[in-house]
């Protein structure tokens, strides 16, 4: 039977992460909050993903303080975050005690819905975060990363949904990070999951391929409960389908959201003015990029690839790298291309092409992947490439976090008196190289000068990148692995591909 459809609004997180390099400041969010809070959204996505480290690195903002401010400004709407499973909001696995503290503090600072995913769809990497979310009274939205490969089928996605339901999920999210899910495929997938799992289903996609709104309509016909949309002023391209378009489309139907379209349009006018402030961070990707359908590369990964190749004066190799990405992905066992697997695959593909020899240089993160420290990929890895990467080492088969020592006490000791509370300790535990100077600046009374600090940080970061990439371009044939990795991989990872 037809039912009212609800929306998760992404304007305060994924929309600006996708289009504006995650640079929207909380001071530009807060004036929008009263009207956003009055709409009646199922949730507002406001935190997680790349927002955490970007706030400290570029904006001079405390991500925990941002969450508290948004919670106060949005008293009537559930707040939602994107949690990278055992990676939390970082790019590697963290020990269970850090996971426990992070989820606990996120919940106490105001988070309601935790969208938990793993880059390899390895549910072992989701189990501990989900357990703690449930313990703390949050909503555990367990997530399937949707992708296309010979090893990804609707039947396997349904099996994963059943497993996640049995693990205690409160709802299931289908996360289509590249905009690959077509309207008729999503119809069949939602129907199949609904037939086996008695939980609400959310659908997340990006407009990169152009499928977005049509995919949502077919998913709604199949019974999806919630869809992710972005306010029209920050929608489409690599962001989500526009909120107002879907609300208007569903009016006078059994699926109608009941949201105030005039108020949404008024919010859009204000968001459009905010967007102008961040014009220098625009991704610059066309409204629809068909490359995503051929190469299955998410928009954020495409934009970073362009940036890296331009810095190395290697834009003539753009399509060569795109051709190489599916080959590397197949050799790695067809991981979904989402943080951090997108960085790992993209970096390896770029190095293979730029250096003119496949696997001439293998970054440490790629070796760790082949050792099993990111989890179990969906399909077997190429044994020849694996041996080239790690030799005769025996890959681990346990849950990767089982190999990690507890980290809380070490983090407290490492940051010392700079930490004024547990939130500060967590910031340091997750991003020590970013959090320490941030907390040092705060201790010096620079916390109120975030705009200046951020501008200086961006300038220095860009200058450092440009210098490094010029060196890489001149000496790529003989450059040591670690040096070239800093250019092609680490920068991309830290920018939140």
């Amino acid at each position: 039977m037809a039912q009212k459809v609800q929306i998760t609004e992404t304007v305060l997180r994924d929309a600006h992460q996708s289009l504006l390099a995650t640079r929207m400041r909380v001071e530009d969010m807060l004036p929008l909050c009263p009207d956003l809070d009055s709409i009646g959204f199922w949730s507002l996505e406001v935190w997680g993903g790349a927002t955490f480290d970007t706030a400290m690195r570029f904006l001079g903002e405390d991500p925990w303080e941002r969450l508290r401010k948004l919670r106060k400004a949005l008293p009537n709407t559930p707040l939602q975050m994107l949690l990278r499973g055992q990676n939390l909001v970082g790019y590697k696995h963290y020990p269970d005690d850090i996971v426990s503290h992070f989820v606990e503090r996120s919940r106490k600072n105001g988070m309601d819905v935790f969208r938990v995913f793993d880059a390899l769809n390895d549910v072992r990497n989701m189990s501990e975060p989900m357990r703690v979310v449930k313990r703390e009274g949050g909503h555990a939205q367990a997530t399937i990363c949707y992708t296309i490969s010979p090893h990804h089928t609707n039947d396997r996605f349904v099996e994963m949904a059943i497993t996640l339901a049995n693990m205690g999920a409160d709802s299931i999210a289908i996360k289509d990070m590249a905009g690959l899910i077509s309207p008729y495929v999503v119809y069949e997938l939602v129907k199949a999951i609904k037939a086996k799992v008695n939980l609400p289903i959310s659908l997340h996609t990006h407009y990169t391929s152009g499928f977005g709104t049509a995919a949502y309509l077919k998913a709604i016909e199949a019974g999806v409960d919630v869809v992710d949309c972005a306010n029209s002023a920050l929608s489409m391209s690599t962001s989500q389908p526009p909120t107002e378009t879907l609300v208007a489309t569903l009016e006078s139907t059994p699926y109608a959201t009941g949201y105030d379209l005039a108020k949404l349009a008024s919010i859009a006018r204000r968001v459009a003015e905010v967007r102008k402030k961040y014009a220098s961070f625009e991704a610059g990707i066309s409204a629809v990029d068909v490359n995503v359908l051929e190469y299955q590369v998410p928009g954020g990964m495409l934009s970073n690839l362009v940036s890296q190749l331009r810095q190395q004066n290697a834009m003539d190799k753009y399509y060569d790298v795109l051709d190489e990405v599916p080959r590397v992905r197949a050799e790695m066992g067809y991981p979904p291309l989402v943080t951090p697997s997108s960085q790992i695959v993209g970096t390896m593909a770029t190095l293979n092409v730029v250096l003119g020899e496949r696997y001439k240089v293998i970054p440490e993160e790629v070796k760790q992947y082949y050792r099993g420290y990111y989890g179990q990929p969906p399909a077997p890895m190429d044994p020849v490439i694996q041996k080239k990467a790690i030799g005769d080492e025996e890959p681990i088969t346990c849950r990767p976090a089982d190999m990690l020592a507890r980290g809380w006490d070490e983090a407290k000791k490492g940051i010392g008196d700079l930490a004024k509370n547990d939130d500060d300790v967590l910031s340091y535990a997750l991003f020590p190289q970013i959090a320490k100077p941030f907390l040092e600046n705060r201790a010096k009374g620079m916390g109120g000068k975030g705009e200046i600090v951020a501008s200086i940080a961006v300038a220095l970061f860009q200058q450092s990148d440009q210098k490094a990439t010029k060196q890489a371009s001149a000496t790529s044939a003989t450059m040591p692995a670690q040096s070239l990795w800093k250019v092609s991989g680490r920068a991309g990872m830290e920018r939140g591909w």
Side-chain angles (χ1 to χ4, degrees):
M1 294 179 60
Q3 61 179 0
K4 177 181 176 180
V5 173
Q6 299 189 73
I7 290 176
T8 291
E9 172 61 60
T10 69
V11 68
L12 300 183
R13 206 288 294 181
D14 201 12
H16 73 93
Q17 179 171 322
S18 298
L19 298 178
L20 306 175
T22 329
R23 291 309 201 277
M24 189 184 292
R25 299 176 61 81
V26 71
E27 67 187 32
D28 290 318
M29 299 178 187
L30 294 176
L32 304 171
C33 288
D35 282 343
L36 287 171
D37 195 42
S38 70
I39 296 297
F41 293 117
W42 189 81
S43 66
L44 271 160
E45 192 193 42
V46 300
W47 214 55
T51 61
F52 195 96
D53 60 305
T54 299
M56 291 188 292
R57 180 193 299 275
F58 296 119
L59 306 181
E61 289 185 7
D62 183 343
W64 298 100
E65 183 63 19
R66 172 185 290 196
L67 176 56
R68 289 189 288 270
K69 288 180 177 178
L70 290 172
R71 175 73 285 169
K72 184 177 180 180
L74 297 162
N76 302 305
T77 307
L79 301 189
Q80 180 171 314
M81 75 168 294
L82 185 64
L83 191 75
R84 298 167 179 157
Q86 202 76 28
N87 291 1
L88 298 176
V89 290
Y91 308 98
K92 64 178 183 179
H93 286 170
Y94 297 98
D96 286 342
D97 62 332
I98 298 297
V99 170
S100 181
H101 279 285
F102 181 87
V103 173
E104 178 184 348
R105 292 304 306 160
S106 299
R107 181 79 180 112
K108 288 183 177 177
N109 276 295
M111 189 51 58
D112 299 299
V113 181
F114 294 75
R115 178 173 287 174
V116 182
F117 78 94
D118 177 68
L120 302 183
N121 280 337
D122 187 338
V123 298
R124 299 175 305 169
N125 296 331
M126 302 166 64
S127 60
E128 182 65 8
M130 287 176 60
R131 184 190 70 81
V132 182
V133 169
K134 299 284 288 184
R135 184 191 75 194
E136 296 300 317
H139 180 108
Q141 186 173 86
T143 304
I144 300 165
C145 289
Y146 179 84
T147 189
I148 298 172
S149 85
H151 294 268
H152 290 89
T153 65
N154 278 4
D155 287 343
R156 290 190 67 174
F157 290 135
V158 171
E159 290 174 5
M160 184 177 176
I162 294 171
T163 299
L164 294 172
N166 290 336
M167 289 168 59
D170 294 303
S171 62
I172 301 292
I174 303 168
K175 177 179 171 62
D176 174 27
M177 55 279 176
L180 295 173
I181 203 162
S182 66
Y184 292 99
V185 169
V186 76
Y187 179 88
E188 295 299 332
L189 178 56
V190 171
K191 290 281 282 188
I193 294 176
K194 279 285 186 178
K196 296 290 185 179
V197 177
N198 186 28
L199 290 174
I201 298 178
S202 288
L203 176 61
H204 170 94
T205 193
H206 293 250
Y207 211 88
T208 319
S209 66
F211 283 151
T213 301
Y216 279 177
L217 291 176
K218 291 302 292 182
I220 289 167
E221 291 178 3
V224 82
D225 299 275
V226 185
V227 292
D228 286 14
C229 294
N231 181 275
S232 60
L234 272 177
S235 68
M236 303 181 70
S237 182
T238 54
S239 180
Q240 281 69 57
T243 303
E244 299 92 315
T245 300
L246 190 68
V247 170
T249 300
L250 298 178
E251 277 190 353
S252 302
T253 76
Y255 309 109
T257 64
Y259 299 161
D260 188 330
L261 190 58
K263 184 172 287 187
L264 288 169
S266 174
I267 296 171
R269 289 190 288 271
R270 295 160 63 193
V271 173
E273 290 301 310
V274 171
R275 183 172 182 170
K276 293 177 183 178
K277 295 177 62 174
Y278 301 94
S280 62
F281 297 107
E282 291 277 357
I285 293 178
S286 59
V288 172
D289 191 335
V290 295
N291 284 316
V292 73
L293 297 177
E294 183 173 358
Y295 302 107
Q296 300 165 25
V297 175
M301 188 175 171
L302 276 177
S303 61
N304 196 80
L305 170 62
V306 169
S307 174
Q308 293 297 319
L309 290 176
R310 280 177 177 163
Q311 290 174 350
Q312 298 183 59
N313 295 318
M315 273 304 295
D316 59 311
K317 294 181 170 60
Y318 176 69
Y319 285 102
D320 293 332
V321 174
L322 285 183
D323 286 333
E324 180 68 1
V325 166
R327 287 192 288 267
V328 171
R329 181 173 177 242
E331 290 160 350
M332 290 187 173
Y334 291 100
L337 294 178
V338 63
T339 301
S341 57
S342 58
Q343 293 92 327
I344 295 170
V345 172
T347 296
M348 195 68 257
T350 302
L351 289 172
N352 284 350
V353 170
V354 171
L355 296 183
E357 180 182 334
R358 302 190 79 234
Y359 298 100
K360 180 179 181 179
V361 169
I362 303 179
E364 184 60 26
E365 277 77 0
V366 175
K367 293 179 181 180
Q368 287 292 83
Y369 179 94
Y370 278 109
R371 291 180 180 118
Y373 281 93
Y374 285 92
Q376 180 67 42
M381 294 181 281
D382 187 307
V384 175
I385 303 300
Q386 187 174 33
K387 184 175 179 62
K388 188 166 187 177
I390 64 173
D392 294 327
E393 290 185 52
E394 192 70 25
I396 66 169
T397 57
C398 64
R399 184 182 72 115
D402 290 340
M403 306 292 291
L404 299 177
R406 296 175 65 84
W408 180 252
D409 290 340
E410 182 181 352
K412 287 185 70 174
K413 181 179 179 181
I415 195 59
D417 293 340
L418 285 174
K420 302 305 180 186
N421 50 46
D422 285 354
D423 296 345
D424 291 344
V425 175
L426 281 165
S427 296
Y428 176 76
L430 298 178
F431 297 102
Q433 294 180 339
I434 301 171
K436 188 172 183 179
F438 171 81
L439 295 174
E440 287 173 341
N441 286 335
R442 186 184 68 181
K444 295 174 184 176
M446 299 176 68
K449 300 179 180 178
E451 195 69 49
I452 298 172
V453 173
S455 298
I456 294 172
V458 170
L460 291 175
F461 186 80
Q462 291 174 340
Q463 290 172 11
S464 175
D465 252 12
Q466 290 167 1
K467 180 179 179 181
T469 49
K470 286 178 182 178
Q471 292 172 348
S473 180
T475 63
S476 61
T478 58
M479 176 175 281
Q482 186 63 24
S483 299
L484 190 55
W485 166 234
K486 287 180 180 178
V487 174
S488 298
R490 179 61 64 187
M493 184 171 287
E494 290 174 341
R495 287 166 179 167
W497 272 7

